[in-house]
Amino acid sequence: TSIDKSYFDDSAKLEISYCKKGECLYDLERLNDHVYCLEDGLCALISITKSGEEKIYHYFASGSIINFTPAYLTLPPNTASAAFYMYTKSDCKLYEISYKNFYKLLSENAHLNRYIMTLFANHFSNVLYHFHFMQEASTPSRLCKTL
């Protein structure tokens, strides 16, 4: 699926960005002020364990709007938020929109606002399901789900 550009008008000032597989879009050192509209590719929200193992919490496929959660955070980054990263898992084509323009659009566009709230709910539900599944499912079940 592609981005529903009806959420954005010319004032959004969407800029096209191309990222190679394995690029970091967000971490504590790369705090940015952009929301990404993933036109093509696959991204993942991950953390790295103390032993160096990558844990994937959520995949974002083409058509997703990503990195909007930091725009809503009111507390400064802490060690807990420092544990999470957003990486491209394939070559990606993204549209970037600054938080400033994103806030403006949210205040003016009830349709976009409802859509973002729906995304929040879906992401939260998916992360909870994934966390529960990783804690409770057998190793063969987790392997089958991954494949």
Side-chain angles (χ1 to χ4, degrees):
T1 30
S2 65
I3 297 297
D4 182 355
K5 294 186 185 71
S6 68
Y7 292 121
F8 307 100
D9 58 22
D10 291 338
S11 70
K13 298 178 183 158
L14 294 174
E15 295 182 29
I16 296 176
S17 178
Y18 295 93
C19 296
K20 296 286 184 195
K21 178 180 178 181
E23 287 188 39
C24 184
L25 297 176
Y26 172 86
D27 69 8
L28 201 53
E29 285 85 40
R30 290 172 198 76
L31 291 176
N32 61 42
D33 62 349
H34 288 89
V35 171
Y36 298 105
C37 303
L38 183 58
E39 178 72 21
D40 188 39
L42 182 69
C43 295
L45 176 66
I46 68 167
S47 69
I48 307 295
T49 66
K50 290 178 184 176
S51 64
E53 178 186 359
E54 178 182 287
K55 291 204 175 257
I56 297 174
Y57 293 92
H58 188 70
Y59 283 107
F60 300 93
S62 299
S64 298
I65 298 177
I66 57 178
N67 204 44
F68 60 84
T69 305
Y72 287 91
L73 298 177
T74 57
L75 300 174
N78 58 31
T79 54
S81 63
F84 297 98
Y85 309 90
M86 181 83 64
Y87 270 93
T88 57
K89 290 299 194 176
S90 69
D91 290 349
C92 294
K93 176 184 176 185
L94 306 119
Y95 292 94
E96 295 179 356
I97 181 172
S98 71
Y99 284 167
K100 179 182 172 184
N101 287 333
F102 183 67
Y103 290 136
K104 184 175 185 269
L105 284 173
L106 287 177
S107 68
E108 297 171 353
N109 186 331
H111 186 60
L112 176 61
N113 211 323
R114 279 191 302 277
Y115 180 66
I116 293 297
M117 291 301 110
T118 301
L119 287 176
F120 263 133
N122 285 326
H123 291 341
F124 182 71
S125 177
N126 288 338
V127 168
L128 283 176
Y129 170 77
H130 180 76
F131 183 75
H132 176 76
F133 184 79
M134 293 308 290
Q135 297 297 318
E136 299 297 325
S138 66
T139 301
S141 294
R142 291 194 319 257
L143 179 60
C144 288
K145 181 171 174 37
T146 301
L147 297 174

